[in-house]
Amino acid sequence: MMAGGPLLLTLSITALAWGIQGKKQIPGSTAVYLGQHRDAWRPLIHISVNLTRIRDIKSSFKLRTYDPEGIIFYGDTKNGRDWFILSLKDGVPFMQISRSGVLVNVVGGPKLNDGRWHTLELSNHGHFVVLDVNGSRGLVVGLQSDAIEEVVSGSLRLALGGILIPKDRLVVQFEPQMDACVQEGSWLNLSIPWETDADELRPCYQSIRPGSFFPGNGLAIVNTSVLQTDYDRSVTIELWGDFSKMDGTILSIMTPGQALVFALGANNNTKKVTLFLGGHMVILKENFKRLEMTFGTDSLEVRHGGHESKIQWDYLNPLKNSGLLNQLRESHIAIGGLLGENDAGSRFLTGCLEKVQIQGKDVDLDQAIKHRSISSHSCPV
């Protein structure tokens, strides 16, 4: 289903007013999808506030995600010399703080990447930074040093979905991209609008479930380093999802010279899944929700429907002595479309892939080269 209609929390273009210097302004309470297409570390929205206007350094907002890792919230003073970052790592809150050269990083609290809305409140109490989750104490970080100076003047900068300092200043590096939604923000008890450089803000889905959503506009290219196996081993790719509801190219494998090695496609009208390899085509007609493909030196074994049946292709002459496994190691893997110099004729996937595994390891599309329309960890319901 395409991203639109009643599935989305409405983010009206008319609610966006052009700010100064060509920037758009939005209310702080607006529902914001953090996974917008941009530089991975660049904030999606941000504000700057004079410290003399702030009576209480406290902010609260609601967060919803299935993504285990990514940046949520950033704040700084002294033009970035003192800074604070809240992110997720393995689904758990992760704070990094720098004040007067004192660097601290702490992880702890409940897992938040369960797809539910969680209310987070961040507050500053002297030498302590406190994170409350759903009304309960989640994480407390204390900083005590003779070098720490109290900041009473200047500006306080806040940002969502990115940072305002070079990433090499972080205590611990992490993957910044975040398939998440933030809404109902109350920032420092101020009503000033946030600014964004984005041409448009992608809205949040009203309801989500785990998976990677492809709306039919583009594909993701996966790092093939996961295929660096010994010559006598096989490569297994597994896909989970309702294949009867998918339409388009699910998976394609091409050599650098753009020679098609393998393709997997689905047709939502006929409810058929089609595999192409070595000039041959096999059609799978049964409805199933899991597909396992094991590539050998000159064979391909396919299991679907919970290992209820399998297709052995080692009798196909084009595969004999073809070095299929070697071709895979030298190829590019695309999820959601056909690789090529241009996208003409490519039937991009429309549908939800609940999970993708290569060699038994989950594929995180946040670490792939992907089209901006693809949601890495969530699908609309």
Side-chain angles (χ1 to χ4, degrees):
M1 185 174 293
M2 295 297 291
L7 286 174
L8 304 177
L9 295 175
T10 303
L11 183 61
S12 174
I13 296 299
T14 58
L16 297 175
W18 282 103
I20 59 173
Q21 298 178 348
K23 294 183 178 181
K24 295 179 182 178
Q25 296 182 338
I26 65 170
S29 59
T30 300
V32 177
Y33 176 66
L34 297 183
Q36 310 279 341
H37 178 68
R38 64 193 187 283
D39 178 87
W41 293 99
R42 180 182 173 189
L44 180 63
I45 60 175
H46 53 88
I47 57 172
S48 180
V49 184
N50 194 305
L51 282 168
T52 59
R53 299 183 57 184
I54 303 173
R55 297 187 302 272
D56 190 11
I57 303 181
K58 178 187 295 183
S59 296
S60 65
F61 55 92
K62 288 186 175 181
L63 171 74
R64 183 192 65 187
T65 187
Y66 282 112
D67 199 334
E69 184 169 334
I71 187 168
I72 305 170
F73 182 75
Y74 167 92
D76 73 24
T77 57
K78 301 178 183 177
N79 199 33
R81 282 183 292 165
D82 289 353
W83 50 264
F84 164 88
I85 293 174
L86 173 66
S87 63
L88 290 189
K89 196 167 184 66
D90 296 324
V92 175
F94 178 39
M95 286 189 191
Q96 297 191 56
I97 304 173
S98 173
R99 287 188 64 184
S100 301
V102 179
L103 303 176
V104 176
N105 67 93
V106 179
V107 60
K111 273 189 172 289
L112 301 180
N113 64 323
D114 57 4
R116 301 177 181 176
W117 285 108
H118 296 280
T119 300
L120 278 61
E121 182 180 273
L122 283 162
S123 55
N124 188 295
H125 303 271
H127 296 290
F128 294 91
V129 177
V130 178
L131 172 68
D132 290 336
V133 180
N134 299 325
S136 299
R137 189 55 45 90
L139 192 59
V140 178
V141 182
L143 294 92
Q144 182 66 48
S145 171
D146 293 337
I148 294 178
E149 303 174 356
E150 291 298 325
V151 182
V152 294
S153 62
S155 297
L156 172 64
R157 301 187 301 179
L158 303 179
L160 284 182
I163 60 178
L164 299 171
I165 56 173
K167 64 179 180 180
D168 56 10
R169 291 176 57 186
L170 300 183
V171 183
V172 178
Q173 296 292 325
F174 61 93
E175 173 60 45
Q177 291 185 322
M178 188 75 160
D179 180 1
C181 190
V182 169
Q183 68 175 13
E184 298 181 21
S186 175
W187 312 101
L188 306 173
N189 293 318
L190 299 174
S191 59
I192 61 174
W194 289 66
E195 292 184 349
T196 179
D197 298 323
D199 293 332
E200 61 179 348
L201 291 179
R202 184 174 160 192
C204 302
Y205 296 119
Q206 185 175 14
S207 300
I208 60 173
R209 58 190 174 99
S212 297
F213 181 58
F214 294 76
N217 299 323
L219 53 78
I221 303 174
V222 178
N223 189 339
T224 56
S225 62
V226 295
L227 299 181
Q228 302 305 311
T229 59
D230 297 333
Y231 283 98
D232 58 350
R233 293 185 60 189
S234 60
V235 171
T236 298
I237 301 176
E238 295 179 80
L239 306 169
W240 281 259
D242 190 341
F243 287 81
S244 66
K245 295 182 180 179
M246 299 182 196
D247 191 72
T249 302
I250 302 171
L251 179 76
S252 67
I253 302 174
M254 287 188 175
T255 62
Q258 303 305 322
L260 181 64
V261 177
F262 173 81
L264 174 71
N267 189 307
N268 191 34
N269 294 322
T270 62
K271 309 300 181 185
K272 294 179 181 179
V273 174
T274 307
L275 301 95
F276 298 89
L277 178 66
H280 290 259
M281 177 177 69
V282 170
I283 297 177
L284 308 178
K285 297 181 180 180
E286 301 95 328
N287 291 336
F288 51 90
K289 295 187 178 181
R290 180 182 178 185
L291 182 66
E292 177 184 320
M293 298 164 292
T294 300
F295 296 84
T297 302
D298 53 9
S299 66
L300 170 62
E301 187 176 277
V302 179
R303 295 182 178 92
H304 63 95
H307 295 272
E308 294 173 0
S309 63
K310 64 180 180 179
I311 304 168
Q312 188 72 29
W313 281 12
D314 57 357
Y315 63 87
L316 295 177
N317 288 331
L319 294 181
K320 287 298 183 181
N321 302 317
S322 66
L324 177 60
L325 202 56
N326 291 339
Q327 288 188 53
L328 257 67
R329 293 193 186 96
E330 298 171 356
S331 299
H332 299 295
I333 297 178
I335 301 174
L338 288 172
L339 274 170
E341 293 183 356
N342 57 66
D343 298 327
S346 181
R347 292 182 62 239
F348 292 124
L349 175 64
T350 300
C352 177
L353 279 172
E354 295 175 4
K355 184 165 61 172
V356 178
Q357 285 190 340
I358 300 179
Q359 297 297 78
K361 297 180 179 180
D362 289 344
V363 174
D364 185 352
L365 293 188
D366 279 339
Q367 300 179 26
I369 301 172
K370 65 183 179 69
H371 190 268
R372 61 181 178 272
S373 65
I374 299 172
S375 299
S376 301
H377 294 273
S378 63
C379 297
V381 176

